[in-house]
Amino acid sequence: MRKGLLGLMILAGAFSVKMQTVHAQLREIQIEQAQICMPDISLFLTGDASLQELDSQKVKVNMGEQEFAVSSVRDFDRNQDRTDYYFLLDVSGSMQYEYYQAACEAITNRIETLTDCETYKVLTFGDSVNVVLEDEYDGDKIREAFNVVSAGDDNTQLFEALKKSAILAQQRSDQSSVRKVAVVFTDGMDDVTGKATVTEATEEITRGGMTVYAVADGEDTDAINRFGEFVRDTGGQLEICYGASSQEEAQDIWDTIENTKVILAQGDSNRITDQIETVTVQIEQWGMKKEKQTGCYDYIPDREAPCVLECRQINENEIEVAFSEDVVEKETASNYCLSGEEKCIPDSVMVLDDRSVQLYFEEPLYSGEYSLEIVNITDDSMEENSVMPYEESITVEGVKPEAGWMQFLRSWGIPLLCVLFVLAVIITAIFLYRYIRKNRGLLVIDGKMMPASRVDIQQHIAVEDDGRPGALVVLEMKTGNGRKKTAAKKLSDSMIIGRSGVCDICIDDERMSKQHFALEYQRGQIYITDLETTNGTSVNGVRLHGRYRLEKGDRIQAGSMDMTVQWENVR
């Protein structure tokens, strides 16, 4: 018994040691870098050998509440994965000469082995921060550039150099899946006031999604410890060099950079948040959760407009519509219209999921062929692409037009028509009386009858020049009776068009609001905004919902006026 118990205790102890070892190894795994270029996220994981066992089916990626679909988990490949290197070289007098020479040689050796997918910049920092080399691969020219530089400056602008390298990394035109790595050769000192602080450098590095690695001269222990904490917070590592050579320490960094797992994940939209976001990686196979902060400022343009994949009848008063992708404003009933012998707008919309809706009509639809018209529905993207027109016809099996109301018409049709006729005569008479009275009577001009109130409408409004840059806006107006009028006015900031006398351009049209729409001048462009009017404002037949940029020759419909807008930029 005693021997058996002793054996169990030994096994339990061994298992506990093994589990502690495994968990210790797992704690070494971290997100070295997260690059966001919506809708894509590229994650670079560093750690020990257990990374090779990472199962892509058990990895989840989130940015806040948004979940991203993991497409692949693979090894980092220098010949496939694009990487920007920023080599930062300390040229202050506190650097040992032998260490400085070894650092130059380590940078040169790395540059000579870069692949076609890798680019670099070399920045020196001391009294100032300077870019001394950029994408030069001739070994003699590289060494010649280093020979011009010497380590003897009085100051050390370490964090200013890190901030500048992060800003340079953010200026790259194509940010998609580009790994950004800063490798610093320094003694860890920063003794300059009035330049970037460690906080400012951290903000820019986080914003640009950059990782910092460092090979440091180990003479000043306090400075090295402070700088090492900063480096590890970015996801990188610090190697300390106690001798003249830094080749071995630099090689450890190259090995860490190359022995990396790459997780690629995609979201549903390319919308950016324009702020720092927290990316979370959950590895279910190990019960592990890792987080990394990075900027969400870049996106891949979405040039594909959404379309309707299917439109089918569910029953006599319900239609289901399926879109090719997630769209916004799909829950608004007025954005849909079934056009056949009559136009039918649904009374309500039920959202089934991100890509499909069900249109409900209170009255049963008549049998026949219909077309589906969709307005004001766009994809969930930075470009807000409108849904493409649905060109297929929809065959609806519903009620026949004769059913139900034909019997009512046969019984009550003639009396009802008589009543309606009398009411129409009365309403027409009242309308004409009020119309004539409002317009101060009718006049006959050139053989045409028109309201007297419209006879004295000004045909042209003089241009006022206040000396500011702007545009001469000309509105060619056409009323319902065919009369044409022209209004011209200089637009420097904004002007209001409407029925009120306080407007910049006053149009005596009873269907227009007192202040109907506004025109704005901005950088050579003219924008129009409907001022929340009852009858609305349309451009080229499309009703406005928000601010819209005009093109020369666009047709504006407001009230009973149909006007064409032209302009010339003036100073």
Side-chain angles (χ1 to χ4, degrees), residues 522-542:
Q522 186 176 4
R523 299 179 181 177
Q525 301 293 333
I526 305 295
Y527 296 84
I528 183 171
T529 304
D530 179 76
L531 301 178
E532 299 182 355
T533 59
T534 302
N535 295 324
T537 305
S538 300
V539 176
N540 298 327
V542 180

Side-chain angles (χ1 to χ4, degrees), residues 229-287:
E229 182 179 356
F230 167 84
V231 168
R232 287 185 291 274
D233 286 343
T234 71
Q237 70 183 50
L238 174 72
E239 296 290 337
I240 301 176
C241 175
Y242 293 99
S245 174
S246 59
Q247 292 295 329
E248 183 177 345
E249 291 76 14
Q251 187 59 50
D252 289 341
I253 288 177
W254 312 143
D255 291 342
T256 300
I257 293 174
E258 294 171 21
N259 297 326
T260 304
K261 279 288 184 183
V262 182
I263 299 176
L264 301 179
Q266 289 79 40
D268 295 326
S269 168
N270 70 345
R271 287 191 182 275
I272 61 174
T273 62
D274 238 2
Q275 62 185 18
I276 302 297
E277 294 291 346
T278 300
V279 177
T280 303
V281 176
Q282 291 182 331
I283 305 176
E284 295 179 340
Q285 69 189 98
W286 298 323

Side-chain angles (χ1 to χ4, degrees), residues 190-471:
D190 186 313
D191 54 8
V192 178
T193 57
K195 295 294 182 179
T197 63
V198 61
T199 301
E200 292 170 334
T202 300
E203 289 176 355
E204 288 297 338
I205 287 170
T206 303
R207 179 185 177 91
M210 176 180 278
T211 307
V212 179
Y213 290 86
V215 179
D217 182 1
E219 290 295 321
D220 191 329
T221 304
D222 291 338
I224 293 299
N225 287 337
R226 289 192 298 269
F227 186 55
E229 182 179 356
F230 167 84
V231 168
R232 287 185 291 274
D233 286 343
T234 71
Q237 70 183 50
L238 174 72
E239 296 290 337
I240 301 176
C241 175
Y242 293 99
S245 174
S246 59
Q247 292 295 329
E248 183 177 345
E249 291 76 14
Q251 187 59 50
D252 289 341
I253 288 177
W254 312 143
D255 291 342
T256 300
I257 293 174
E258 294 171 21
N259 297 326
T260 304
K261 279 288 184 183
V262 182
I263 299 176
L264 301 179
Q266 289 79 40
D268 295 326
S269 168
N270 70 345
R271 287 191 182 275
I272 61 174
T273 62
D274 238 2
Q275 62 185 18
I276 302 297
E277 294 291 346
T278 300
V279 177
T280 303
V281 176
Q282 291 182 331
I283 305 176
E284 295 179 340
Q285 69 189 98
W286 298 323
M288 176 184 294
K289 180 179 179 180
K290 296 291 182 179
E291 294 182 346
K292 183 71 173 180
Q293 286 193 320
T294 190
C296 183
Y297 302 97
D298 302 304
Y299 65 93
I300 301 171
D302 183 355
R303 298 183 174 89
E304 183 175 353
C307 63
V308 175
L309 295 179
E310 184 182 19
C311 182
R312 64 188 185 92
Q313 181 182 9
I314 303 299
N315 53 48
E316 63 182 13
N317 60 350
E318 291 182 354
I319 300 291
E320 183 176 325
V321 180
F323 297 96
S324 59
E325 58 181 284
D326 185 15
V327 292
V328 295
E329 297 297 332
K330 58 181 174 290
E331 68 280 0
T332 304
S334 59
N335 290 339
Y336 304 88
C337 180
L338 282 180
S339 296
E341 293 185 1
E342 60 177 10
K343 290 184 178 294
C344 303
I345 296 176
D347 294 280
S348 62
V349 177
M350 177 186 296
V351 178
L352 302 178
D353 53 44
D354 289 341
R355 299 187 177 186
S356 59
V357 297
Q358 190 167 299
L359 311 181
Y360 174 77
F361 301 85
E362 186 173 345
E363 298 294 332
L365 297 167
Y366 293 128
S367 297
E369 296 291 322
Y370 290 83
S371 62
L372 176 65
E373 299 175 6
I374 296 177
V375 297
N376 301 327
I377 297 181
T378 67
D379 60 8
D380 186 15
S381 69
M382 295 295 293
E383 294 76 11
E384 297 184 346
N385 300 301
S386 297
V387 175
M388 296 175 62
Y390 187 63
E391 298 179 352
E392 298 184 21
S393 61
I394 308 161
T395 302
V396 173
E397 296 293 337
V399 298
K400 295 182 179 181
E402 297 79 10
W405 53 274
M406 282 299 295
Q407 185 177 1
F408 173 81
L409 285 179
R410 280 193 295 268
S411 302
W412 298 93
I414 295 177
L416 181 61
L417 286 174
C418 292
V419 172
L420 291 176
F421 177 78
V422 172
L423 288 175
V425 170
I426 295 173
I427 292 172
T428 302
I430 294 173
F431 173 81
L432 288 174
Y433 173 78
R434 296 182 64 183
Y435 180 80
I436 294 171
R437 184 176 180 182
K438 180 178 180 179
N439 290 279
R440 302 189 297 275
L442 299 175
L443 295 176
V444 177
I445 299 177
D446 296 332
K448 296 182 179 179
M449 183 174 291
M450 63 184 64
S453 62
R454 296 190 180 181
V455 174
D456 59 352
I457 292 179
Q458 188 175 2
Q459 299 296 311
H460 188 79
I461 299 175
V463 178
E464 299 175 2
D465 190 357
D466 56 4
R468 294 184 295 170

Side-chain angles (χ1 to χ4, degrees), residues 36-76:
I36 300 177
C37 189
M38 296 296 288
D40 295 345
I41 290 183
S42 301
L43 298 160
F44 301 88
L45 270 62
T46 59
D48 50 40
S50 60
L51 268 178
Q52 298 303 319
E53 303 172 7
L54 190 60
D55 185 353
S56 62
Q57 301 297 320
K58 297 182 179 179
V59 176
K60 291 185 177 180
V61 176
N62 292 78
M63 184 181 74
E65 299 296 325
Q66 184 178 359
E67 185 172 345
F68 287 70
V70 176
S71 59
S72 68
V73 176
R74 57 174 176 79
D75 294 331
F76 175 77

Side-chain angles (χ1 to χ4, degrees), residues 493-513:
D493 294 313
S494 65
M495 64 180 178
I496 305 297
I497 292 87
R499 183 162 48 87
S500 173
V502 301
C503 295
D504 299 284
I505 295 180
C506 175
I507 301 174
D508 189 5
D509 181 356
E510 63 183 8
R511 293 196 61 199
M512 292 187 72
S513 297

